[in-house]
Amino acid sequence: MEKSSRKIWEHPWGYVEGFIVASGVLLAGLMLQLTLGNIDKAAFGFPVNIIIGALFMVGLLSLHFFLRRKKVVRWLSGVSSTIPAISLLLAVIVIMGFTPQFSDHVSREQLPPTPLRGLGWYQMTTSWPFVLLCFYMLTILGLTTLRRTTKKKGWRDIGFYLNHVGLFLALLGGMLGSGDMKRYTMSVKEGSVEWRGTDQLGQVHELPIAIQLDTFMIEEYPPKLVIIDNQTGRILPADRPEAYMFEGVGKTTTLAGNQIEILDFMADAAIVRDSNIVNFVHMPMEGATSAIKVRVTHPSIGQPVEGWVSNGSYIYPYEVLYIDSTKSVAMPVQEVRKYTSKVTVYTKSGHVRKAEIEVNRPLSIENKVVYQYSYDETRGKYSQVSIFEIVTDPWLAVVYVGIFMLLAGALFMFIAGPRQEATPERCL
Amino acid sequence: MSWDSFIYFAIAAIILWSAGALTAFKGEKKTIPSLLTALGLAVFFVFILGLWVSLERPPLRTMGETRLWYSLFLPLAGLLTYRRWGYRWILSFTTLLSVVFIIVNITKPDIHNKVLMPALQSPWFAPHVIIYMFSYAILGAVTLIAIYYLVRESKISNKGRLMAMTDNLVYVGTALITMGMLMGAIWAKAAWGHYWSWDPKETWAAATWLGYLLYIHYRLRRKASNKTSMYILIIAFLMLQICWVGVNYLPSAQGRSVHTYTME
């Protein structure tokens, strides 16, 4: 990469030394990984993360203020160390992209018993090589940023600081904060109050927040019709499945070559079975199902076929209409458009708040955020249970400052572009 | 406007873009090629708008829908580069790549319906995906330039100028993927409770981002080799492709990505 008469390890260091040092960091990580196993995030929660963060910052600042004239420190704040550090981190992330990843809550014994387990690759983000490389990159990032403060100032510095300080804060905040992030799911029945949450290990905790579920509502998309293969149950045509979303009575459509005419529709149908006759009657009640009456014509069948099709509910089984021995008309389960929980939230400190919580519209209260997480899927739109996720992340503010600085930095970069003329190497 | 009419709009747009690319090789004036390309863009965009109206949601959910935007943004990136830098071949490159994606969309059409999952119902949805698609188009154009450079290196007279153009495009493309990624992070916090979960798509997005950062930092050195720079761009674009399309096929991501919204 660099052709010069300089011998290896002779200053100024270049990319070769950079790759050796970064590989050393990786190797140290591997040794730690093989002896200690993956990092236990919980052990790095408050106050350990504060102490590590403070020591790291003190270390960076001392290197900068007392030793910045040392050649190694200069090298650590320039392109020669940056390129190898990014390359190796990138390599680790690519390995992570090719290896199935498991949650940190999966214990070592439950992971696939391959050599990759020992290397920590199945839980890369808590493995020593990954974390050490991240800290190595943070060190270079921090020192490079500090070093820039000693240089001649220019308008381009705005972009530099936004991008580099922003990334530094987002990365450091994200890494140190991960030990303090708490996530609990809470399942609440309509009309009742709940304050116990389940953590990711399945342990139940009493939380300083209580949720009363006043009402829970699900809106669905209109039902769809499909033609299925009676043998396999797969939607036809097999190479590109077709579906028709109900738009109103009287419409016609073609599905997999079959002419379908919509004769009738009930949003609340009860299915009444009388020996071998099946009747569909309108009945607005819990557990009622959607039903569509169709007439199917196809050149291969003599008489048109007519009848009701339904996707069922927790009370009724679904109902298909046989066209012939090979295929039928069926109605898949309707997709959910929106689900909303109307809640009253009580906190230990005495706050009471009424709110509507939806996916993408969480509720922030004190230092917690309450998310719409799920519902009783076996009962579908008749679910009386809403499941929430309650998240606390005390380091979020640090990460967000970083993210917004980076966003502004990206905007700067978009407008300003690269330096126009080739400039002397400023960070050797 | 339904998907069935796509082919007519696509053919009209391809004819206009090709005419723009051909006229760019003739004559000095940029007006006619620019007008033809812009007209093609308008035709193609009308189709996207029509699809948007008929689906009652932004057409950005399925892979086919994202390819649609990609096919639109490539000639746009080509046009902007052509206006700014005047390279005559750029329009034919971007048109060609756009045609490839249009053909994929015609031969392997997606299933389009009105369904938009609750997780996607957010003001971040359209900007997140559109910005990403625009940046992918610019970085796609950059990749074509890198290949052009590596194939014809000995015949290129003014390498400095070509490298300056490449740097410019990479800065714009990287700025945009940074914005797309961070908007995604803010959205993920509102939708899933965490801004970064190392979902397979996120992992490859991080890899792609680092790839382009590598290029930008490598180029800071005056002595940087042009060839190495171009190879970095090609590798970064491979990672971008894994991020965009590949995660749907990677064994490590099967059934694990929360970023999959294509359905049967």
Side-chain angles (χ1 to χ4, degrees), chain B residues 139-157:
Chain B
L139 296 169
V142 163
T143 311
L144 295 174
I145 296 168
I147 295 168
Y148 174 85
Y149 181 93
L150 291 172
V151 172
R152 301 182 41 115
E153 191 179 17
S154 53
K155 294 186 188 131
I156 297 170
S157 51

Side-chain angles (χ1 to χ4, degrees), chain A residues 9-289:
Chain A
W9 299 120
E10 198 179 296
H11 281 289
W13 289 0
Y15 291 142
V16 177
E17 288 84 354
F19 276 103
I20 297 173
V21 173
S23 307
V25 173
L26 190 66
L27 210 64
L30 272 175
M31 309 284 260
L32 284 168
Q33 182 68 32
L34 292 173
T35 44
L36 300 174
N38 278 64
I39 297 170
D40 175 18
K41 261 199 224 166
F44 289 88
F46 179 82
V48 179
N49 51 6
I50 296 266
I51 297 168
I52 292 175
L55 287 176
F56 183 69
M57 289 307 296
V58 168
L60 276 187
L61 291 169
S62 337
L63 278 179
H64 174 69
F65 284 110
F66 304 122
L67 300 169
R68 74 163 173 265
R69 283 180 219 293
K70 292 269 179 212
K71 284 171 181 152
V72 177
V73 179
R74 284 167 82 110
W75 174 81
L76 272 174
S77 51
V79 173
S80 303
S81 59
T82 303
I83 296 288
I86 298 181
S87 305
L88 262 72
L89 187 62
L90 176 57
V92 169
I93 290 178
V94 166
I95 291 173
M96 181 173 165
F98 283 122
T99 320
Q101 295 297 303
F102 295 83
S103 146
D104 337 317
H105 307 291
V106 175
S107 70
R108 195 188 143 85
E109 291 68 39
Q110 294 166 285
L111 294 172
T114 68
L116 304 187
R117 179 169 76 174
L119 296 171
W121 286 4
Y122 288 125
Q123 293 162 324
M124 192 66 92
T125 57
T126 54
S127 72
W128 284 97
F130 177 82
V131 173
L132 286 194
L133 270 179
C134 282
F135 268 105
Y136 178 57
M137 204 177 88
L138 269 177
T139 308
I140 296 172
L141 182 59
L143 288 175
T144 308
T145 313
L146 288 169
R147 195 168 145 77
R148 180 80 167 225
T149 58
T150 63
K151 302 266 169 137
K152 209 176 91 199
K153 309 279 180 292
W155 64 278
R156 282 197 157 268
D157 285 347
I158 304 168
F160 176 89
Y161 287 121
L162 285 173
N163 281 322
H164 290 80
V165 178
L167 181 61
F168 186 86
L169 288 177
L171 268 185
L172 189 65
M175 288 175 67
L176 294 179
S178 63
D180 278 345
M181 183 161 173
K182 299 266 187 303
R183 307 177 77 151
Y184 303 97
T185 53
M186 182 190 274
S187 173
V188 193
K189 265 197 99 164
E190 222 166 355
S192 63
V193 184
E194 185 58 80
W195 61 91
R196 286 158 304 179
T198 310
D199 67 17
Q200 284 157 308
L201 293 167
Q203 310 272 341
V204 178
H205 301 261
E206 291 204 2
L207 302 181
I209 184 170
I211 300 177
Q212 173 183 311
L213 182 60
D214 299 321
T215 45
F216 179 67
M217 285 162 300
I218 292 191
E219 265 178 51
E220 289 177 326
Y221 280 98
K224 287 195 292 201
L225 294 175
V226 295
I227 306 290
I228 57 166
D229 183 316
N230 287 345
Q231 288 268 297
T232 60
R234 308 228 17 188
I235 301 175
L236 300 174
D239 54 338
R240 192 186 176 221
E242 290 174 1
Y244 169 74
M245 190 180 270
F246 173 74
E247 284 173 346
V249 173
K251 303 256 178 187
T252 54
T253 184
T254 309
L255 282 177
N258 302 276
Q259 265 269 306
I260 312 258
E261 197 184 338
I262 310 291
L263 302 176
D264 200 359
F265 167 70
M266 284 188 274
D268 306 293
I271 306 175
V272 188
R273 278 162 212 279
D274 185 12
S275 62
N276 48 10
I277 301 165
V278 182
N279 278 316
F280 283 75
V281 291
H282 175 68
M283 199 170 286
M285 59 160 202
E286 275 270 327
T289 174

Side-chain angles (χ1 to χ4, degrees), chain A residues 395-412:
Chain A
W395 289 72
L396 187 64
V398 179
V399 176
Y400 266 30
V401 169
I403 286 181
F404 282 103
M405 286 179 76
L406 267 175
L407 268 175
L411 194 65
F412 184 95

